[in-house]
Amino acid sequence: MALKDSTMLPLGTPLPHFELPDVRTGHMVSPESFVGKQAILVMCICRHCPYVVHVQEQLAKLGRDYQKKNVGIVAISSNDVKRYPQDSPTRLKEMAEELEFHFPYCYDESQEVAKALTAACTPDFFVFNEERKLVYRGQLDDSRPGNGKPVTGWDLRMALEAVLDKKPVFVAQKPSAGCSIKWKIGNEPDY
């Protein structure tokens, strides 16, 4: 369980285009799926990572809490399923159903979306505003497995609330930390 920090993609970066299948429905999900939303939250997660397992109930709660607010949420897994079969679309679907996710959970087979976000770890979080510009990236909160701090989602929730209130995101943006994304052999990024 080697700890990897997020890369902290520069603020203001545009939301990259993607078209990925939702593991539950098979429907394609893209930024256009969230037309009219004030914010889009992109979560890079997976099934097996202990850092994701540590926060997965809070991720489900975020989906429930923001379902009726003007926030589009998508979870994306980009791990190499040949080497990590527990992160296959079938297993991701089981995870989404067990946790009752209220958002699409997509599989990024090419790993291109993860690269476009410079995602480095699971979990890794990105909030884009109404103009589809990055306004927050980093951690869910200060909780990590074994550190005794409660999982609240505070940092991410404060960023989402600021966007919904049409205010600047002033919350301290600390890198997320977790397991490295499991890149396909030969597909590792240079960051």
Side-chain angles (χ1 to χ4, degrees), residues 3 51 54 139-149 175-177:
L3 187 64
Y51 293 90
H54 179 70
Q139 69 177 13
L140 178 71
D141 56 34
D142 288 327
S143 185
R144 304 287 185 271
N147 77 357
K149 294 182 179 181
S176 188

Side-chain angles (χ1 to χ4, degrees), residues 38-191:
Q38 239 175 303
I40 296 178
L41 166 60
V42 179
M43 304 185 293
C44 294
I45 63 173
C46 67
R47 182 177 179 117
H48 87 276
C49 170
Y51 293 90
V52 174
V53 171
H54 179 70
V55 301
Q56 66 187 10
E57 294 291 338
Q58 181 62 222
L59 302 183
K61 186 171 179 358
L62 273 164
R64 290 189 303 272
D65 292 350
Y66 285 91
Q67 181 180 19
K68 293 190 173 145
K69 295 189 178 188
N70 205 7
V71 176
I73 301 175
V74 61
I76 299 173
S77 178
S78 302
N79 282 351
D80 177 7
V81 299
K82 286 187 179 170
R83 293 187 301 137
Y84 296 87
Q86 61 271 47
D87 291 330
S88 71
T90 300
R91 299 298 309 276
L92 300 178
K93 179 179 180 180
E94 291 169 4
M95 177 186 180
E97 290 172 349
E98 289 165 9
L99 293 165
E100 299 179 6
F101 283 167
H102 287 262
F103 46 81
Y105 194 1
C106 299
Y107 177 56
D108 175 22
E109 183 176 8
S110 71
Q111 302 183 316
E112 292 305 310
V113 178
K115 285 183 176 180
L117 293 166
T118 67
C121 60
T122 55
D124 212 347
F125 302 96
F126 305 86
V127 176
F128 296 86
N129 65 13
E130 209 163 11
E131 290 79 41
R132 303 307 183 238
K133 301 289 185 189
L134 184 68
V135 293
Y136 179 84
R137 74 284 194 249
Q139 69 177 13
L140 178 71
D141 56 34
D142 288 327
S143 185
R144 304 287 185 271
N147 77 357
K149 294 182 179 181
V151 180
T152 63
W154 191 88
D155 295 55
L156 187 55
R157 286 174 180 274
M158 291 301 100
L160 289 170
E161 291 300 324
V163 174
L164 290 173
D165 291 341
K166 298 185 185 251
K167 295 180 179 175
V169 177
F170 287 124
V171 64
Q173 299 196 19
K174 301 175 191 172
S176 188
C179 300
S180 65
I181 289 181
K182 307 310 182 206
W183 301 103
K184 295 177 182 179
I185 294 170
N187 199 33
E188 302 87 354
D190 57 6
Y191 55 82

Side-chain angles (χ1 to χ4, degrees), residues 22-40:
D22 181 342
V23 297
R24 281 180 293 184
T25 65
H27 296 128
M28 297 304 282
V29 178
S30 71
E32 290 75 32
S33 303
F34 306 107
V35 168
K37 297 293 184 184
Q38 239 175 303
I40 296 178

